[in-house]
């Protein structure tokens, strides 16, 4: 049954999720509104219209983007200023090697949406509904949506899901939450960051931090600088931490593998050494296509090209070393002994980020991989791929994030200063035994133990469709519309974002873009992906058929 409108009638579109991807979808519809009238209803339950909670303008300036100004290259909007021009007008804008606050990008995205809404383009009407959508059902007249207050909206010819991060079922967190309720312990989420500061009196506590990624760095920044601590440069030029007395006595992060992320190059000049040529980009895209065509989950063509690109940045045997490392699983960096001494590994990676140390296999390969992300999307996203290939390449990309999308060099330097001050310990960073005790959590490993009276969850759930617990997504999954492409992956979609159901049939009028389609698409967590080719393919299919 088709629910598509006739070409002569206005197209009725619902966009569920008003973050950057929802904004991008609205802009593309506005750009093409002259050839087809479109009535859009944009659903966003938060106040962060156009930017979403991740880039909320009101959040602390301690939460920084993980890309420097020089690497932010968003396409210009239909009307209004580009980010580059908008940033130039801001008094507090960082330099090209600086990392802006996420709130700054959020303010720009929100202003970008307001400019679009005020432009009143012919052929486009926009209604904003500040409610969470909890149910979606297909009827004879189109798709019907229900919001949290049980008001129904519709019918719609096209529903586009841009829902972003979704809650998942997590049995460990549920046990810990129950334990915290029965004791004086504190269990708090890392976000929103301002809410974290209000969750407890943090002074003097031992605080465990679940996760060792970028959210852990945000948490550490909030529980130190956010509580009045500061960093200073000593006479020798080193960075030292000056405590305020309001922060925790000790921060103890831990993770499944305990491996520290490598910081990105400190400057554009250093980063330019990892840039890839047009010819290398083309060769890489061909390698991705070859792996997809094979369909057996082997990434050998990609590994070979990565070896050829990253290898020369090492020694005369670099290409073979990179290729062999990739084929062996690309986990432990053979040039950096990070398993027993993570702080020393961080110091070595920081020296590489400043161009002061020879590059390791992992660091050189990771930085090249980062420069190839857009080519990865170009080759992967429009193609039909097997579950085996999708699972292998998604797992590889996730594993490489430790080397390719680590924190700013300055953030790593501040973590090391906290270690030197005794505020942060990585002694038990590897996944430890965790025992629930009366006052909190006993974290034990390598013959030692800490009693943490507070736990901060800084793990952001991956897009594992099978475990998503939000009513809208779980309902569409239970109804057979949203089907995982493979175990631990997101929903099966077409190149144009159209949902593919349990029987392998495209679902008329239902589309999904972003991280919940992980596997059908790749590298979705960048703001650049929100404004990329995927939304253009969706709009072309919806508007032109």
């Amino acid at each position: 049954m088709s629910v598509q409108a006739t070409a002569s009638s206005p197209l009725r579109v619902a966009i569920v999720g008003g973050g950057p991807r929802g904004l991008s979808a609205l802009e593309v519809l506005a750009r093409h509104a002259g050839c087809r009238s479109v009535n859009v209803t944009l659903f966003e339950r938060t106040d962060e219209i156009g930017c979403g909670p991740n880039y909320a303008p009101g959040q602390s300036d301690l939460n920084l983007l993980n890309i420097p100004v020089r690497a932010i290259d968003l396409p210009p909007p239909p009307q209004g200023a580009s980010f580059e021009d908008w940033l130039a007008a801001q008094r507090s804008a960082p330099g090209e090697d600086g990392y802006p606050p996420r709130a700054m990008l959020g303010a720009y995205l929100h202003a970008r949406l307001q400019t679009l809404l005020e432009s009143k383009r012919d052929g486009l009407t926009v209604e904003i509904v500040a409610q969470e959508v909890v149910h979606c059902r297909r009827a004879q007249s189109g798709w019907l949506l229900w919001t949290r207050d049980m008001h129904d909206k519709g019918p719609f010819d096209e529903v586009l899901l841009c829902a972003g991060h979704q809650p998942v079922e997590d049995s460990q967190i549920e046990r810990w939450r129950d334990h915290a309720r029965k004791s004086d312990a504190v269990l708090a989420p890392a976000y929103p960051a301002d809410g974290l500061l209000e969750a407890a009196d943090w002074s003097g506590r031992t605080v465990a931090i679940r996760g060792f990624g970028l959210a852990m760095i945000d948490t550490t920044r909030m529980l130190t600088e956010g509580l009045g601590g500061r960093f200073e440069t000593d006479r020798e030029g080193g960075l030292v931490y000056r405590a305020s007395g309001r922060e925790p006595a000790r921060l103890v992060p831990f993770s499944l593998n305990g491996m520290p992320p490598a910081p990105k190059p400190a400057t554009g000049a250093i980063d330019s050494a990892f840039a890839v040529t047009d010819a290398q980009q083309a060769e890489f895209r061909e390698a991705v296509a070859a792996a997809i065509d094979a369909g057996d989950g082997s990434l050998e063509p990609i590994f070979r090209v990565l070896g050829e690109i990253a290898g020369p940045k090492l020694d005369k045997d670099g290409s073979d070393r990179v290729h062999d490392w990739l084929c062996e699983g690309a986990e432990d960096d053979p040039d950096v002994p990070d398993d027993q001494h993570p702080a020393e590994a961080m110091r070595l990676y920081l020296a590489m980020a400043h161009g002061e140390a020879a590059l390791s296999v992992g660091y050189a390969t990771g930085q090249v991989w980062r420069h190839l992300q857009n080519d990865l999307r170009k080759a992967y996203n429009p193609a039909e791929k097997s579950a085996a290939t999708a699972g292998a390449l998604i797992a590889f990309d996730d594993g490489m994030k430790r080397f390719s999308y680590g924190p700013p060099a300055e953030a790593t330097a501040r973590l090391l200063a906290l270690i030197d001050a005794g505020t942060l310990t990585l002694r038990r960073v590897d996944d430890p035994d965790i025992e629930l005790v009366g006052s909190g959590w006993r974290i034990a490993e390598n013959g030692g133990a800490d009693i943490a009276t507070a736990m901060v969850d800084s793990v952001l759930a991956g897009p594992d469709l099978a475990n998503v617990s939000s009513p809208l997504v779980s309902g569409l999954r239970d109804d057979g519309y949203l089907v995982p492409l493979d175990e631990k992956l997101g929903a099966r979609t077409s190149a144009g974002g159209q949902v593919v159901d349990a029987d392998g049939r495209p679902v008329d009028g239902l589309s999904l873009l972003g991280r919940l389609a992980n596997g059908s698409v790749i590298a979705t967590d960048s703001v650049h992906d929100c404004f990329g080719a995927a939304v253009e393919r969706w709009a072309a299919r919806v508007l032109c058929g």
Side-chain angles (χ1 to χ4, degrees):
M1 175 181 64
S2 174
V3 296
Q4 197 73 15
T6 63
S8 59
S9 61
L11 187 69
R12 304 164 299 180
V13 176
I15 300 176
V16 182
R21 205 175 303 272
L23 167 62
S24 177
L26 187 59
E27 287 182 346
V28 173
L29 293 177
R31 195 176 297 123
H32 297 288
C35 61
R36 178 75 183 275
S37 295
V38 184
N39 297 338
V40 180
T41 304
L42 179 66
F43 295 86
E44 173 54 51
R45 63 183 178 84
T46 72
D47 294 331
E48 287 82 32
I49 306 293
C51 53
N54 286 351
Y55 303 103
Q59 68 184 291
S60 170
D61 283 346
L62 292 174
N63 290 337
L64 305 180
L65 287 173
N66 196 38
I67 46 177
V69 168
R70 57 182 154 79
I72 302 174
D73 184 23
L74 301 179
Q79 290 90 22
S82 67
F83 182 66
E84 182 180 9
D85 292 339
W86 183 88
L87 193 64
Q90 308 303 306
R91 294 182 179 179
S92 58
E96 66 173 15
D97 289 328
Y99 289 75
R102 290 206 290 266
M104 182 172 285
L105 178 60
Y108 166 72
L109 294 174
H110 182 73
R112 185 162 164 158
L113 173 65
Q114 293 304 314
T115 299
L116 176 62
L117 295 178
E118 293 166 3
S119 65
K120 302 186 183 302
R121 295 179 66 89
D122 292 339
L124 176 71
T125 63
V126 181
E127 176 190 10
I128 294 179
V129 177
Q131 290 283 336
E132 178 186 5
V133 176
V134 297
H135 184 58
C136 179
R137 182 174 64 85
R138 186 161 62 174
Q140 186 68 34
S141 56
W143 289 90
L144 302 175
L145 304 181
W146 280 264
T147 58
R148 176 68 69 178
D149 60 4
M150 295 312 295
H151 287 169
D152 63 290
K153 291 285 185 177
F156 299 101
D157 306 303
E158 174 74 12
V159 173
L160 174 64
L161 305 177
C162 302
H165 287 86
Q166 295 291 292
V168 299
E169 297 176 356
D170 190 321
S171 58
Q172 185 180 60
I173 288 296
E174 286 302 317
R175 289 196 307 272
W176 289 357
R177 186 175 291 120
D178 184 63
H179 175 64
R181 281 194 293 262
K182 297 175 181 177
S183 67
D184 293 329
V186 173
L187 175 62
Y191 303 111
D194 293 332
L196 177 62
L197 291 185
E198 299 171 359
D201 177 3
W202 297 102
S203 176
R205 289 181 181 268
T206 294
V207 179
I209 305 175
R210 182 187 187 229
F212 195 37
L214 299 173
M216 181 277 289
I217 293 174
D218 283 346
T219 297
T220 299
R221 204 180 276 124
M222 292 302 297
L223 294 183
T224 53
E225 294 176 84
L227 292 170
R230 66 187 190 279
F231 292 90
E232 297 177 352
T233 303
D234 62 18
R235 293 181 179 179
E236 288 75 33
L239 199 63
V240 295
Y241 179 68
R242 306 298 185 193
S244 69
R246 297 168 53 205
E247 61 273 271
R250 175 178 290 183
L251 299 170
V252 186
F254 62 91
S255 67
L256 289 176
N257 57 31
M259 296 179 180
K264 286 188 285 295
T267 66
I270 297 171
D271 194 28
S272 65
F274 303 101
V276 290
T277 66
D278 291 345
Q280 288 171 331
Q281 290 174 344
E283 188 178 5
F284 174 75
R285 292 194 298 269
E286 290 174 0
V288 174
I292 291 173
D293 288 343
D296 58 2
S298 171
L299 304 182
E300 168 59 27
I302 297 173
F303 293 167
R304 176 183 54 79
V305 171
L306 281 177
E308 293 172 356
I309 300 175
K313 305 180 188 309
L314 302 173
D315 52 35
K316 61 181 181 181
D317 299 321
S319 294
D320 289 339
R321 291 180 61 208
V322 169
H323 179 267
D324 292 347
W325 178 67
L326 293 171
C327 291
E328 291 167 2
E331 293 184 3
D332 296 331
D333 191 332
D335 300 321
V336 180
D338 53 10
D339 53 344
Q340 297 298 319
H341 304 286
E344 294 312 307
M346 290 169 65
R347 295 184 202 280
L348 183 53
Y349 283 131
L350 183 60
M352 295 180 203
H354 283 284
E356 299 169 351
L359 300 176
S360 69
V361 166
Y363 195 84
T365 307
Q367 301 312 310
V368 167
W369 184 250
R370 176 171 52 83
H371 278 273
L372 288 167
Q373 289 288 288
N374 195 43
D375 294 283
L376 175 63
R377 295 188 193 98
K378 287 180 179 179
Y380 183 94
N381 288 355
E384 293 288 335
K385 70 281 296 182
S386 69
T389 299
L393 195 45
I394 291 293
F396 174 72
D397 183 51
D398 286 344
M400 286 300 293
K401 287 177 181 176
R402 176 198 165 200
F403 299 105
S404 58
Y405 272 96
E410 179 67 14
T412 295
R414 294 190 177 207
L415 289 178
L416 289 168
L418 290 171
I419 292 171
D420 293 340
T423 301
L424 180 70
T425 177
L426 302 186
R427 181 167 56 88
R428 284 178 286 279
V429 70
D430 201 3
D431 189 32
D433 292 327
I434 300 177
E435 177 186 357
L436 301 181
V437 295
S439 57
W441 296 264
R442 183 178 184 271
I443 305 173
E445 189 177 342
N446 297 332
D450 285 317
I451 302 296
T453 61
M455 175 78 72
V456 177
D457 180 19
S458 73
V459 174
L460 299 182
D464 180 358
L465 182 65
N467 287 325
V468 172
S469 58
S470 63
L472 173 63
V473 174
S474 61
L476 287 169
R477 180 192 62 212
D478 295 343
D479 289 341
Y481 292 122
L482 296 182
V483 181
L485 180 63
D486 199 12
E487 186 179 0
K488 302 295 184 182
L489 294 182
R492 183 184 302 162
T493 63
S494 71
Q498 190 171 15
V499 168
V500 177
D501 69 14
D503 296 321
R505 297 176 301 202
V507 179
D508 287 335
L510 184 63
S511 299
L512 171 63
L513 294 177
R515 69 190 326 262
L516 276 179
N518 193 45
S520 295
V521 291
I522 200 168
T524 60
D525 283 342
S526 167
V527 69
H528 293 97
D529 184 66
C530 296
F531 293 88
V535 70
E536 295 281 355
R537 287 193 295 270
W538 165 77
R541 178 181 58 79
V542 170
L543 294 173
C544 304

